[in-house]
Structure formats: C-alpha cells, structure tokens
Amino acid sequence: MELSWSAALSAEEGRELAAQLFEETFGYQPQDVWSAPGRVNVIGEHVDYNGGPCLPIALPHRAFIAYAPREDRLLRLVSPQTREAVDELDLDRIAPRGCEGEVSGWAAYLSGVAWALEKSGYGPLHGFDAALYSCVPRGGGLSSSAALECAMAVAIDEAEGLGLAGSVSEPNDAGRTILVECARMAENQIAGANTGGLDQTASLRCLSGHALALDCRDMSVEHIPFDLESQGLALLVIDTRAAHSLADGQYGQRRADCEEAARQLGVEQLVDVEDLEAATQALSEERLIKRMRHVVSEIARTRALIELLKEGPLEGDRLKVVGALMNDSHDSLRDDYEVSCLELDVAVEAARAAGAYGARMTGGGFGGSAIALVDRERLEETAQAVAQAYSERGLDAPAFIVAVPSAPAGKL
Ligand code: ADP
Ligand code: MG
C-alpha cells in the first residue's frame, strides 16, 4: 500500500521557498528568513493546565518566515494558501477577539505576536512585510499555530534588536521565556484559542537531540537526552487527519472537571494530589474520579518516564517500561479522560500489534496524531500496518512523520 509520508523541508529549501514567495509578492528581497518548529508531546497529556509535567520534542517540520521591516506601521502578510489576497493590517488597530479591530484567520497568529510584544513593553515596532512557508501539518495536533507565532517572534526579536532570543546554538532561555508569553498572548487573545504555553515553550525552548521536561507549574525546563536514532529506535507520528466537531467545547469541559475536582479535594491544582486512593474516596461523582485519576496517574507516568530517560540508553527492561508507560497513558486518555476517538485507537492498536514498544495518542485528542516508539528498521512496516488497519476500517488514509528531536526557533 502506498504510504503518505509528510517530509520536512530542509533549512535551505524552507529559506528558499519563503524568500521566493516574499520576492514574488512584494517585489524586493527580505531582510532574512527565520523559522520555528512544530512539536510532539512524548508523554504528559492534559496535565499542563493541572500544573503537571510534560515532555515535548521539537519536530524537524518548521514554519519559515521571510521578513523585512517597513518604515510605517502596516503589516502585509502572505502564505501560499492566501497568495492571491495579501492580508493587510494596521499595527495601530489590531485588537483582541470580540473587540473592534479583531483579526480573523491565520493572520491573527502573526500579527498577534507584534501586538503582544508591544503590549509587553517591547514597542513601538516597525510594520513589516512577511511571507510564510510552513511544512508543519495543519490542525494535526503538531502545533502548526505555535510554529507560526514563534517564527514571527524570533524574526521581530532579531530585526528589531530586542535581544531576547539569542541564537539557535546559544539560545537566551530567559529571553525566550518572555517570547513564549508573547506568543501565547497572541494565541489566546488575538487568535482566540484558549491554550496553555506548552506549544510555544516547545517551539522556542527545545534543543536538538533532546526532549524538554517542562514543569507546567512554573514553566521551568530540563533538557533530557533523547537521541533515538543512535539507539536504533524511532518515533513514528501518525497524523490521523481526522477532526471531530465533537471536540468543540470538550477541552473546556475537561478543564472545568479538573478545576471542580481540585476544588472538592481542597487543593489548588490536581498536581497537588498526593494520595490517589484517598482522593478517589473523597470524590463522589464518577466522572470527576475518572478525570482526576487520569491526571494524577499521568503525572506519575511522566515523572517515571523522565527518570528512565535520565538513567541511560533505551534498551532492555528500560525500553519495555518506557513503552508500557506510553501504552498506559493512551489507555487512561481513552477510558478515564475520554478524549480519544476511533482513528486514534485504531492507529495505536495497529502499531502495538505490529511490535511497537509503546503507542499513544498525543495532543488534545478527538483526532490529531498518535505516536509509536518503534525499532528504526520497523518504521515502514509499522506504518504499513497502521495504513492497512485504516483501510480495513474504511477510514481515510493517515499521513506519517518521523519525529527526530530538532532545533528550536531561530535562524538556521
Ligand atoms: P495545530 O496548531 O494543532 O496545527 P491549530 O488549530 O492550533 O492546530 O492551528 C491551525 C491554524 O494555524 C490554521 O487554521 C491556520 O489558521 C494557521 N496555520 C497553520 N499553518 C499555516 C500555514 N501554513 N498557512 C496559513 N495558516 C496556517
Ligand atoms: Mg495550535
């Protein structure tokens, strides 16, 4: 069966394509091209807003932005999807969702970053022309939106001399934490998506060859070596290409359930629950028990997996336990948190049956992507098995990605 692999653009290709689109559209050359990666979360799902840890890696798939500042306050934005109609915005008129001047569509993610930087005291900025070329699959739970914001953030940072980002090889982590907040403000207030800072943190603060252990209580990070390739392993991402309208509102409901469980347990956030047994006894509503049980057990699994990675190479029993933790994570998201769907379950089951060490849904759920930890030489076979299972169930063919922990936002 013919498989659909979503390959990443090389740094050269991405730079070239973005710069070419810029020149064709605006008739002059950009100052430079900046880029930022999408991300995939290895474990720690739906725990960020409960103050727990998660473990994202930056994907090799990036959004490239060719950029040049202007003398006025105009923003002109173009992407291959929108090339007939260049988006034009006035930096003085951009306003949050629901207000006069709200920005719709993809332009919100880019213009929102300039708006947020100014709101945070890093203005006044120049207007700019920008051309976007991204190979991060859109809406696949791989954070194409954060890739846009973070590429914009590092472009403005360097062109305006803000000095917050540092370089890819010598990142300024404190400065990047400020850029994370601005990118998140753009997503929350201008694009109107109520998400935490996980995606932007991953895109700005990950390191190549490492997973990022992120403590969502205080956004502190630790870089954990995660060089699967040298250990004969690979992380296969299965983009289900499924989006369920059911997802609308479900995210908010899960957050509300967690807040209610925390309130009834008398803790600030569910990360503060120390005794799962006692907490289970203390709650009376079955739904809240299940939500709490997912969060508390997922936090424990994430901490355990991080410790195993720190211990040494992924082989033997250590590899088996890491796989089992990933499997348990999926089962908990499916049964207790109830955010999986048929496409995700079929992908996970097929990957496991094909010999994956562990497989789980990743991201918010109800579509998006699943991941499988496999022997490198079994990548193709595992993908074949998943595609076969989709075909047998009458599901649309999924797309595949190989997730190699890659460089953070910056100029490659
Ligand atoms: P995810 O971040 O999981 O991919 P989101 O719904 O958060 O999904 O973000 C997807 C949105 O980001 C798209 O609807 C679009 O507005 C914007 N976007 C992402 N990539 C591009 C692109 N290449 N060109 C234009 N807009 C894009
Ligand atoms: Mg997103």
Side-chain angles (χ1 to χ4, degrees), residues 143 145 187 199:
S143 252
S145 61
E187 177 131 3
D199 302 348

